[in-house]
């Protein structure tokens, strides 16, 4: 018989090893799955995980890596702070959408004026929109004790409906021949979020993501608020005795993750997406949850996790084109990776010992 | 002129998926487990049930297969949280995302296929709707009057005490999770087989999450779940009626109604109760030290 013995520490080696193991197990399971579905298993895995970086069309797909990883990292950084404190914002997708809408609204309102102040104003509006959308579950939890998990998730659906309404109603491009969707912001220089260095995929969102990574690292490891967050997550009672106000923490964490998700939404709306459409939310907010866990809720890990998830997105697109693999394959991979990670995590928290007979 | 009987029948139908999923989750949460993956289990049931109904031409077989599929996928959550002691919130979330992806992957061939027609039961109501209604007193009886239900509640309130009394905490919880999965699967299949009559990607559209909110709303009681499901069925029907009546509000804004109603209901209930009705060990990992 075997038994589990809780570890008092989480050994560094396992903290690094479990995400790697999870990725390998996902590849293996994926290969089996593809084999069963009648695809070439090794070809499919290579197409998803290798070709985007080193394949024939890598010149095109490599910049895409940063385009996709940027929003994931930006959102996941905010989520990780809350998750560490045991505050579960799972509605980042909604905050992303609202941030995109409020940010784009400022740009569309200024149209066709040109000016240096327009894009910064959009950034502020995007962050404020996401912050406000994140504060709804925070306040409802603080005032009434409503679960932030369920409220933030419900607000994703509400945000999706608002995006659809905007695309068909108030924000519809007056020169769009009746097509749904706003004006394309990339064709409006003062509001556009262009590629900054040609061929790299770096836009202002990537820069913001890097700043967020450093800021969150400082917050968590060097700041008093970070200590409170870690304490609240690991020993809630002790944290309360230590003078941490739970309601202030809830507002801080949901506000921060909302603002970062809103920023990601704005950069997306003004850059890669270009406009607010019916389907503006493409799931970055949900994938970012996986990124946060894959990165062990640590900023540096999140960068790696974000790049990996971006890789699967791009690889999935290539596999769809080259091998006619369904686009949903990537979603399955991402879910599977999180399952494996959560399972292997046992090794970080427990020691497996043989039970004396 | 709106016929009140037909409106009530519509309400019953709209409430059924929520009723099944929320009753299942009620048992799960009463055992002290928080499974946030209801959405993933519902959509799995919706696709598996639809596929089976399409293959056999018999919708009732579809519902049986949906229950099995929902139960099967819930076991991923069960093994991860009960034996590998994974965090329940994260695992549930993963299940929701995984279920949506998996069904999108395997559902492609069924897009545009029409569901086989289903014979109605007494009073022009689907048999499944009757089954859902019958489950309410059954689950009430199980929780309040049966021995197994008492043990289940005990495990949910305090797993250490129940373990000390010699009850198998992990096995009871695994069974509860499986039951929750089967119920969610049936609820999802009702959407694809009996309501929408076809398969579309992501068709449960948050019903699983609303079901989770319903359990909170019910105060973890079976008849409370029924009341909540009818309330939400009512909101859905009302919203569809207003859309059909061509009211001067954009369709997209009307479609928010069920989600906003969920938030309002959560706020009202939480404000009144401050969460004290929740099982004592809800969401906590149990690891026997001896």
């Amino acid at each position: 018989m075997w038994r589990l013995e809780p570890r008092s520490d989480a050994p560094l080696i396992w903290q690094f090893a479990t995400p790697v193991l999870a990725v390998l197990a996902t590849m293996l399971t994926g290969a089996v799955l593809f084999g069963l579905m009648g695809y070439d298993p090794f070809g499919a895995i290579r197409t998803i995980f290798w070709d985007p970086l080193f394949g024939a069309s890598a010149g095109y797909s490599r910049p895409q890596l940063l385009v996709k990883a940027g929003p994931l990292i930006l959102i996941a950084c905010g989520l990780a702070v809350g998750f560490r404190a045991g505050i579960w914002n799972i509605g980042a997708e909604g905050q992303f959408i609202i941030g995109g809408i409020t940010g784009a609204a400022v740009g569309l309102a200024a149209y066709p004026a040109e000016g240096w102040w327009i894009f910064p104003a959009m950034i502020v509006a995007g962050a404020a929109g996401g912050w406000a959308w994140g504060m709804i579950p925070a306040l409802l939890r603080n005032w009434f004790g409503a679960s932030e998990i369920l409220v933030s998730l419900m607000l994703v659906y509400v945000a999706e409906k608002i995006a659809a309404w905007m695309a068909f109603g108030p924000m519809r491009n007056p020169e769009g021949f009746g097509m749904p969707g706003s004006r394309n912001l990339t064709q409006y220089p003062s509001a556009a979020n262009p590629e900054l260095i040609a061929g790299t995929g770096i836009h202002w969102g990537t820069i913001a993501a890097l700043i967020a990574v450093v800021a969150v690292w400082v917050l968590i490891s060097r700041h008093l608020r970070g200590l409170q967050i870690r304490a609240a997550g690991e020993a809630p009672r002790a944290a309360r005795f230590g003078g941490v106000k739970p309601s202030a923490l809830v507002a801080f964490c949901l506000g921060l993750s909302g603002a970062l998700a809103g920023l990601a939404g704005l950069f997306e709306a003004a850059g890669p997406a270009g406009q607010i459409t019916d389907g503006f939310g493409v799931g970055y907010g949900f994938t970012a949850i996986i990124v946060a866990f894959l990165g062990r809720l640590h900023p540096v890990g999140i960068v790696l996790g974000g790049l990996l998830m971006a890789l699967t997105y791009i690889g999935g697109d290539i596999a769809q084109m080259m091998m006619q693999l369904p686009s949903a394959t990537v979603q399955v991979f991402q879910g599977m990776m999180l399952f494996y990670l959560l399972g292997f995590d046992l090794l970080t928290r427990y020691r497996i010992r043989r039970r004396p007979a | 002129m709106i016929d009140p009987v037909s409106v009530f029948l519509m309400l019953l139908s709209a409430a059924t998926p929520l009723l099944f999923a929320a009753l299942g989750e009620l048992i799960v949460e009463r055992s002290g487990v928080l499974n946030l993956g209801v959405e993933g289990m519902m959509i799995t049931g919706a696709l598996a049930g639809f596929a089976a109904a399409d293959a056999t031409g018999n919708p009732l077989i579809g519902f049986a297969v949906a229950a099995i599929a929902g139960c099967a996928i819930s076991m991923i959550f069960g093994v991860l949280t009960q034996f590998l002691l994974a965090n329940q919130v994260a695992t549930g979330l993963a299940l929701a995302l995984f279920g949506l992806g998996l069904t999108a992957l395997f559902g492609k061939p069924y897009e545009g296929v029409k569901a086989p027609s289903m014979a109605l039961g007494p009073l022009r109501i689907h048999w499944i709707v009757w089954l859902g209604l019958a489950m309410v007193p059954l689950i009430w009886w199980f929780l309040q009057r049966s021995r197994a239900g008492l043990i289940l509640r005990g495990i949910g309130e305090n797993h250490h005490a129940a373990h000390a009394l010699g009850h198998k905490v992990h096995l009871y919880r695994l069974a509860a999770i499986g039951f929750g999965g089967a119920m969610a699967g049936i609820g999802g299949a009702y959407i694809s087989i009996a309501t929408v009559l076809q398969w579309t990607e992501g068709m449960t559209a948050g019903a699983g999450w609303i079901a989770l909110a319903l359990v909170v709303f019910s105060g973890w009681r079976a008849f409370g779940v029924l009341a909540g499901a009818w309330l939400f069925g009512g909101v859905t029907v009302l919203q569809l009626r207003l859309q059909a009546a061509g009211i001067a509000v954009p369709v997209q804004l009307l479609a928010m109604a069920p989600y906003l109603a969920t938030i309002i209901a959560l706020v009202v209930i939480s404000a009144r109760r401050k969460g004290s009705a929740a099982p004592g060990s809800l969401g906590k990992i149990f690891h026997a030290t001896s």
Side-chain angles (χ1 to χ4, degrees):
Chain A
M1 261 313 275
W2 304 92
R3 68 192 171 87
L4 296 172
E5 187 183 281
R7 294 180 193 269
S8 52
D9 59 332
L12 220 56
I13 170 107
W14 282 119
Q15 291 203 39
F16 282 105
T18 46
V20 178
L21 276 176
V23 172
L24 290 177
T26 306
M27 285 186 186
L28 208 67
T29 319
V32 172
L33 190 71
F34 289 135
L36 290 176
M37 289 169 69
Y39 298 99
D40 165 25
F42 300 104
I45 297 297
R46 204 192 57 225
T47 310
I48 294 178
F49 288 97
W50 183 262
D51 284 359
L53 290 174
F54 309 105
S57 58
Y60 166 76
S61 56
R62 251 183 252 154
Q64 281 294 311
L65 201 64
L66 288 181
V67 171
K68 297 254 196 292
L72 290 177
I73 294 171
L74 196 52
I75 301 169
C77 271
L79 293 180
V81 174
F83 290 174
R84 274 180 180 247
I87 295 160
W88 300 95
N89 173 14
I90 60 172
E93 180 76 5
Q95 294 138 20
F96 174 91
I97 294 173
I98 296 298
I101 291 175
T102 51
V106 169
L108 293 170
Y111 184 86
E114 295 285 355
W116 62 267
W117 53 273
I118 293 175
F119 192 60
M122 288 166 66
I123 294 178
V124 172
W131 175 81
W133 208 245
M135 283 308 277
I136 299 173
L139 294 179
L140 294 184
R141 171 162 161 181
N142 284 344
W143 291 344
F144 306 108
S147 154
E148 83 279 13
I149 298 179
L150 294 173
V151 174
S152 65
L153 197 280
M154 283 297 134
L155 286 172
V156 174
Y157 293 96
V158 176
E160 280 176 355
K161 305 288 179 224
I162 292 179
W165 173 51
M166 286 292 162
F168 283 93
M171 281 195 178
R172 187 201 295 243
N173 183 358
E175 289 150 27
F177 307 102
M179 294 276 282
S182 71
R183 267 181 215 284
N184 197 316
L185 292 170
T186 53
Q187 291 157 8
Y188 172 26
S190 285
N193 173 25
E195 193 176 24
L196 295 174
I197 306 166
T200 57
I202 293 175
H203 59 66
W204 286 109
T206 328
I207 311 267
L210 282 179
I211 296 172
V213 166
V214 176
V216 165
W217 182 79
V218 172
L219 170 75
I220 287 185
S221 57
R222 292 284 179 274
H223 198 274
L224 176 63
R225 180 65 97 188
L227 178 73
Q228 293 179 343
I229 286 166
R230 281 181 290 149
E234 285 156 31
R237 268 173 64 84
R240 259 199 303 282
F241 288 131
V244 180
K245 262 184 79 183
S247 58
L249 218 51
V250 168
F252 176 79
C253 290
L254 280 160
L256 176 72
S257 49
L260 290 183
L263 271 182
L266 169 272
F267 289 124
E268 196 67 15
Q275 56 177 166
I276 297 294
T277 55
D278 192 358
F280 175 65
V282 288
Y284 282 140
F286 291 114
T287 306
I289 297 172
I290 305 180
V291 169
F293 280 110
L294 209 57
R296 310 232 64 120
L297 308 182
H298 188 283
V300 177
I302 286 170
V303 172
L304 298 174
L307 288 170
L308 180 72
M309 282 296 150
L311 184 69
T312 61
Y313 268 126
I314 300 158
D317 282 348
I318 298 178
Q320 195 184 352
M321 277 188 297
M322 309 294 284
M323 308 178 67
Q324 284 77 48
L325 271 179
S327 57
T329 318
V330 176
Q331 268 177 286
V332 178
F333 262 59
Q334 294 178 347
M336 214 151 56
M337 216 176 277
L338 187 48
F339 276 142
Y340 275 121
L341 185 75
L342 292 165
F344 283 128
D345 226 15
L346 180 79
L347 300 171
T348 344
R349 290 175 297 119
Y350 296 89
R351 206 179 305 230
I352 300 171
R353 283 277 168 86
R354 187 183 284 278
R355 178 172 287 170
Chain B
M1 184 60 205
I2 297 171
D3 168 21
V5 175
S6 75
V7 168
F8 182 69
L9 289 184
M10 282 169 69
L11 181 155
L12 269 187
S13 181
T16 297
L18 295 174
L19 185 61
F20 271 101
L23 283 174
E25 180 68 14
L26 172 66
I27 295 286
V28 179
E29 293 196 11
R30 269 302 181 96
S31 82
V33 176
L34 179 65
N35 184 354
L36 291 180
V38 183
E39 182 81 2
M41 304 186 296
M42 279 186 95
I43 194 92
T44 306
L47 176 64
F50 187 85
D54 179 58
T56 60
N58 184 343
L60 289 177
I61 294 179
F63 284 104
V65 170
I68 295 168
C71 182
I73 199 157
S74 78
M75 282 300 112
I76 301 178
F77 175 87
V79 169
L80 278 171
T81 58
Q82 299 310 302
F83 298 127
L84 299 179
L85 309 180
N87 178 302
Q88 293 176 8
V89 174
T91 314
L93 217 54
L95 182 62
L97 298 174
F98 182 70
L100 289 168
L102 199 68
T103 51
L105 182 59
F106 290 107
K108 279 272 173 275
Y110 293 98
E111 273 170 11
V113 178
K114 218 174 148 14
S117 65
M118 190 169 168
L120 293 177
L123 303 175
R124 292 189 294 141
I125 297 172
H126 278 298
W127 285 108
I128 295 298
V129 178
W130 285 114
L131 178 66
L133 293 175
M135 288 307 281
V136 179
L138 266 177
I139 283 179
W140 173 85
W141 177 85
F142 171 78
L143 283 174
Q144 302 300 328
R145 293 287 180 270
S146 77
R147 185 179 148 73
L150 181 68
I151 297 171
L152 188 90
R153 282 190 293 140
I155 289 171
E157 280 307 326
N158 187 335
H159 44 216
H160 293 297
H163 175 72
L165 288 172
H167 298 303
K168 304 253 182 259
V169 175
H170 292 310
L171 288 186
Y172 267 93
R173 287 189 169 164
L174 199 64
I177 292 166
F179 177 77
M183 291 287 278
I186 297 175
Y190 187 81
I191 299 178
S192 62
I193 300 177
T195 317
V196 184
L197 303 176
Q198 58 177 356
W199 162 257
T200 49
E201 202 179 305
M203 68 185 306
T204 45
W209 296 101
I210 294 179
L212 277 161
L214 271 185
V215 178
V216 179
F217 176 84
S218 75
W220 288 268
R221 288 169 303 128
F223 282 97
V225 169
L226 180 68
W230 280 5
L231 182 69
F232 282 87
V235 171
T236 311
V237 171
L238 186 70
Q239 170 242 323
L240 292 174
R241 284 273 155 157
L242 288 175
Q243 273 189 28
I247 187 176
V249 174
V251 179
Q252 296 91 353
L253 294 188
L254 276 179
M256 288 177 196
Y259 310 110
L260 290 177
T262 308
I263 294 174
I264 292 167
L266 264 178
V267 165
V268 170
I269 287 295
S270 310
R272 278 199 8 223
R273 223 180 266 123
K274 292 283 176 202
S276 59
S281 296
L282 185 62
K284 297 198 180 111
I285 296 172
F286 176 67
H287 176 243
T289 41
S290 57

